[in-house]
Amino acid sequence: VLTRWASSFSVAGTKSGALEAAGQPLSTARPSTGKRLKKLLEKKVGNKDCKADIAFLIDGSYNIGQRRFNLQKSFVGKIAVMLRIGTEGPHVGVVQASEHPKTEFYLKNFTAAKDVLFAIKEIGFRGGNSNTGKALKHTAQRFFSLENGVRRGIPKIIIVFIDGWPSDDIEEAGIVAREFGINVFIVSVARPTTEEQGMVQDVGFVDKAVCQNNGFFSYYIPTWFGTTKYVKPLVQKLCSHEQMLCSKTCYNSVNIAFLIDGSSSVGDSNFRLVLDFISNVAKAFEISDIGSKIAVVQFTYDQRIEFSFTDYTTKEKVLSAVRGVRYMSGGTATGDAISFTTRNVFGPVRDGPNKNFLVVLTDGQSYDDVRGPAAAAHKAGITVFSIGVAWAPLDDLKDMASEPRESHNFFTREFTGLEQIVPDVVRGICRDFLNSKQ
């Protein structure tokens, strides 16, 4: 089975690949070359819609045996191919569970499906007890590190393959994985029979180890034979980013819009301090196309979107855009600005998965009512933090802030005091995020 599987994937994937291997000249006709180039580029980049860092935790115990171990490798190979691994797509690595866990290869080692397939084929069967809990803990603690190729702001997943049942405790390892923000899937094959259940340490081991016991993170396959039909449904699960509940943290699952006062009383040098404040808050979050997002709106009597949530999807680009914001100078209509931001900045992302936050910075009295627009923002599911400097009235700050108001509004006499408020705002966002999930 393994030989057949390996050879079927090692054959050149295109007609031109076969001609090249045979030493025949390639056609220079533009349409086919263009298509081939596009296909090659897509192959290298991978499936951008399925960004995930995945560890396959395979069963290498005596429980599974050599023959079923090879079938398991074949199944993992098929999953790797369908995932469409690539530099911008999913990255995978493999850990083998047996008496002692062994990392076969890391996320950083291969970014092409053919290389992953070859590496999987080369994995040798280790034998020993199926100490799945030990292996899961090892993977959670050591596999997902920056030096081993983990990417910031991208879901971390461990797919645990269990033939029969684990020979050690798996619950504690599941807790450790959740603490590390890792989504644990359990793929159980050939569940213990009624007669065998007495030998199982914990019959409910699957529910205790998965990311969340909601049915999404567990997958049952009756036998290692004929597993092809199970590949696509499992891959669809692995690519459903919105379901990756355990990797959803306040750092990678929030939209933060900064509404900043550009009125004449602020002045150019103080305005720079406001931009430094925004940058320092933004630095704490994992900004990416599937992670946290930042927007900035400046207001006087008018409003100007400096950039919206979809404009920049990396931290570097966001920080560069913040540095490039130019001071407007004018009056102060904070209420209108809140309404404008609620409608034009949060409107397009209202039904998205991220929790929405608005941070309002002002140094003076608003010429219009802030209470109504702030209430409408709260009603739209936006958590508002208000920050006042110098002459900003405390009543306005409280009227804008979300409940409990004491912990959602801040005041500093000088613009230099904004720096001390940064950790309070970051902590406040994380606190509200956690409360919204409970």
Side-chain angles (χ1 to χ4, degrees):
V1 172
L2 180 62
T3 313
R4 191 165 69 244
W5 159 68
S7 62
S8 69
F9 283 118
S10 62
V11 172
T14 60
K15 194 176 177 184
S16 54
L19 285 168
E20 215 169 16
Q24 292 180 35
L26 295 177
S27 164
T28 54
R30 289 188 76 171
S32 63
T33 309
K35 271 183 187 172
R36 180 168 180 255
L37 189 65
K38 192 182 175 191
K39 208 165 187 181
L40 284 171
L41 285 171
E42 277 176 8
K43 211 170 182 183
K44 198 176 179 186
V45 167
N47 183 2
K48 284 184 173 182
D49 297 326
C50 183
K51 283 187 179 176
D53 286 340
I54 303 168
F56 293 109
L57 181 51
I58 61 173
D59 190 339
S61 66
Y62 287 137
N63 219 26
I64 192 168
Q66 180 74 63
R67 188 185 181 201
R68 296 204 304 274
F69 180 75
N70 288 344
L71 291 170
Q72 177 185 218
K73 289 202 298 181
S74 167
F75 183 54
V76 170
K78 288 170 188 170
I79 295 167
V81 169
M82 191 167 272
L83 278 168
R84 284 164 48 211
I85 293 158
T87 50
E88 299 294 309
H91 290 185
V92 304
V94 175
V95 178
Q96 184 175 173
S98 56
E99 196 68 40
H100 303 289
K102 184 194 175 191
T103 301
E104 301 292 349
F105 59 89
Y106 288 105
L107 297 163
K108 66 177 180 183
N109 293 133
F110 311 109
T111 52
K114 63 176 175 44
D115 298 328
V116 168
L117 285 169
F118 184 76
I120 291 169
K121 183 190 169 218
E122 292 296 295
I123 294 170
F125 175 57
R126 288 172 67 80
N129 284 323
S130 57
N131 289 333
T132 314
K134 190 177 179 181
L136 178 55
K137 202 170 179 180
H138 164 91
T139 310
Q141 291 173 329
R142 301 189 191 175
F143 183 88
F144 293 100
S145 64
L146 290 171
E147 54 270 30
N148 291 333
V150 80
R151 295 168 290 175
R152 290 189 190 277
I154 284 172
K156 299 190 284 281
I157 299 169
I158 301 176
I159 309 165
V160 185
F161 294 92
I162 298 176
D163 183 288
W165 60 91
S167 52
D168 64 346
D169 176 45
I170 198 171
E171 184 178 5
E172 190 203 334
I175 293 166
V176 170
R178 286 193 287 280
E179 284 172 354
F180 278 91
I182 298 163
N183 301 277
V184 176
F185 280 81
I186 301 282
V187 177
S188 52
V189 186
R191 281 184 188 142
T193 61
T194 314
E195 305 82 68
E196 290 171 330
Q197 281 187 354
M199 299 157 69
V200 182
Q201 198 173 331
D202 185 351
V203 179
F205 69 87
V206 171
D207 290 341
K208 289 175 182 175
V210 289
C211 162
Q212 281 204 3
N213 178 15
N214 60 2
F216 180 79
F217 294 94
S218 49
Y219 199 63
Y220 174 64
I221 298 174
T223 169
W224 286 114
F225 297 92
T227 54
T228 305
K229 61 176 179 259
Y230 298 104
V231 175
K232 192 177 178 182
L234 184 53
V235 167
Q236 283 170 338
K237 279 182 181 247
L238 301 178
C239 293
S240 303
H241 287 125
E242 302 326 323
Q243 302 272 7
M244 297 299 160
L245 304 173
C246 287
S247 55
K248 296 284 179 190
T249 69
C250 66
Y251 299 110
N252 65 20
S253 303
V254 294
N255 297 323
I256 309 168
F258 293 90
L259 179 57
I260 56 173
D261 189 342
S263 62
S264 312
S265 55
V266 175
D268 200 56
S269 60
N270 285 335
F271 190 73
R272 293 291 116 199
L273 293 173
V274 170
L275 297 183
D276 288 344
F277 168 84
I278 293 171
S279 294
N280 289 331
V281 173
K283 280 173 188 170
F285 294 89
E286 294 177 20
I287 299 160
S288 74
D289 53 348
I290 58 165
S292 290
K293 294 176 178 62
I294 305 289
V296 174
V297 178
Q298 188 179 170
F299 73 96
T300 55
Y301 283 136
D302 294 316
Q303 307 85 28
R304 184 170 79 198
I305 296 176
E306 303 294 351
F307 57 91
S308 65
F309 291 127
T310 51
D311 288 341
Y312 304 109
T313 55
T314 69
K315 192 177 292 188
E316 291 69 30
K317 285 180 180 172
V318 164
L319 296 177
S320 174
V322 170
R323 284 193 296 274
V325 172
R326 295 287 164 258
Y327 175 47
M328 282 168 75
S329 187
T332 312
T334 316
D336 272 356
I338 293 171
S339 297
F340 174 86
T341 307
T342 301
R343 187 171 61 251
N344 297 294
V345 177
F346 287 103
V349 298
R350 184 176 287 186
D351 299 322
N354 288 6
K355 182 160 173 58
N356 293 319
F357 291 89
L358 174 63
V359 179
V360 184
L361 288 108
T362 181
D363 83 325
Q365 174 85 49
S366 177
Y367 288 101
D368 60 0
D369 171 57
V370 295
R371 204 174 302 174
H378 302 158
K379 198 174 176 184
I382 302 162
T383 301
V384 180
F385 286 88
S386 58
I387 299 170
V389 189
W391 309 108
L394 293 176
D395 285 347
D396 275 10
L397 297 179
K398 284 178 183 170
D399 285 341
M400 289 186 283
S402 289
E403 296 285 354
R405 291 183 177 182
E406 313 75 59
S407 58
H408 287 83
N409 82 85
F410 303 93
F411 179 81
T412 174
R413 284 255 164 250
E414 306 287 336
F415 279 89
T416 48
L418 287 172
E419 197 180 338
Q420 277 79 53
I421 296 173
V422 170
D424 295 325
V425 172
V426 173
R427 270 198 299 269
I429 288 169
C430 283
R431 178 198 59 225
D432 290 349
F433 178 86
L434 282 172
N435 290 342
S436 74
K437 297 292 163 193
Q438 283 169 6

